[in-house]
Amino acid sequence: METARLKDNLAGISAAAEILKADGIVAVPTETVYGLAASAYSDTAISKVFAAKGRPQDNPLIVHISDFEMLSDVVSDFPKEARALAERFWPGPLTMVLPKGEKVADSVSRGLSTVAVRMPNNRVALDIIKAAGIPLAAPSANLSGSPSPTTADHVISDLDGKIDAVVMSGSCEVGLESTVVSLSTDPPRLLRPGFVTAEELKEILPNLVVDKAVLEELQKGEKAASPGMMYKHYSPKTEVFLVEAEAEEFISFVNSKENCAAICFSEEQGSITAPTLSLGAKDNNKNQAQNLFSLLRECDSLGVQTVFVHAPKKDGVGLAVYNRLIRAAGFKVIKL
Ligand code: TXA
Ligand code: MG
C-alpha cells in the first residue's frame, strides 16, 4: 500500500480521523514518541497494527483518550488514586493500567482483564482523537524490536508502505515512551519508567513498588507483569554494551579497545579517541532521554563492531534512560 504523508494542520487532522474511523492505521505524533494509532473499538484495525509492526501477539496496547468523558468507555473503574494521578499528570506521559471497559476490543488487551490508558500532551494527537470521536489504541510506531520513533522520518524508515498514513509533525519533546504504572495490583507497581518518575509517583502512591523487570532480565518461565518487558528492544544491529563506571574509568576502558565507538556524556567526548555520540550532559537526564533513540538508530552507520554506552545514574528520569539502554544492550552490562 502507499503510505500517505499528512500535514499536522486541520486538513491533515481530519484526513487522519477519517482513515481511523474506517478502521485504517495512522502514525501520529505524541509528546513521548510517535504512535501507530487504530480504533480501540475495532478488532480489524488492531490486527492491522500487529501485522504492520510485526508485534508479538501477547503484547497489549495503550489506549489514548482526549478528555475525561471518553474514560468511562475505556475503563470499568477509576479509583481515587487514579483520579489524583490524572489530575497531576494528564495530559502527559503517564499510562495507568486499570480494569478494562467492555467497549474496548479484546484484542487491545490481548485477553487481559485490564487496559492501559493515557491522555497524551500533544495538540495534534488530542485533535485527532477528538475528530475521530473514538479512543485510539497506539503502540510506538516502529518495527517491533527497533528503537521507538521520535521523528516522522523514523516512522517512515520503519513502516513506509505498511500503514495507511503518517502525520508529519515535529520531533517528540520527551523522546521516551510513557511511564506505565499498574493500579490493578496491590501494592501499585511501576511497570515501565519514563519522564514521570518513580519519585513523583510515590508522592501520590507511597507504597509503589518497582517491578523487577525494570532493571533485570526475566528468566525463562518467569511471568512478566507487563508483557512488553520481555522482548528484545531498541536494538541496533551493532553489538551494544552498557558500561557502569566513573568518567575516568570509562574513558580509559574505551580508549583501550579497537573497532568500537562510544555513546558517552558530552563532557567525555574530547577525551575518547574512538568515534563518539553524545547522550547529553551527565546531569541532564531529560536531554539524554530526548537524544537516546536517535542515537541508537545512528549506531549502525558508524561502521564499528561494538558500541560501549556509559550508563546514567538510576534515579529520576535516569531510571528510564537506563531501562531502555539495558534492553538495547540485551542486558550485557560491564561493571568497572
Ligand atoms: O508513550 C507511549 O506510551 C507510546 C505513545 C505512542 O503513547 N506508546 C507505547 O506503546 O510506548 P508500546 O506498545 O510500545 O508500549 C506499551 C507498553 C508495553 O510494555 C505493554 O506490555 C504495556 O504497555 N501494556 C499495555 N497494556 C497493558 C496491560 N493491560 N497490562 C500491563 N502492561 C500493559
Ligand atoms: Mg514500543
Side-chain angles (χ1 to χ4, degrees), residues 216-238:
E216 285 173 45
E217 185 171 24
L218 289 177
Q219 302 306 307
K220 276 215 176 70
E222 267 184 299
K223 197 169 176 301
S226 183
M229 292 289 213
M230 280 175 350
Y231 297 105
K232 193 167 179 205
H233 258 325
Y234 318 120
S235 300
K237 293 181 189 76
T238 315

Side-chain angles (χ1 to χ4, degrees), residues 22-37:
D23 289 347
I25 57 175
V26 182
V28 302
T30 82
E31 82 281 32
T32 56
V33 300
Y34 275 73
L36 181 55

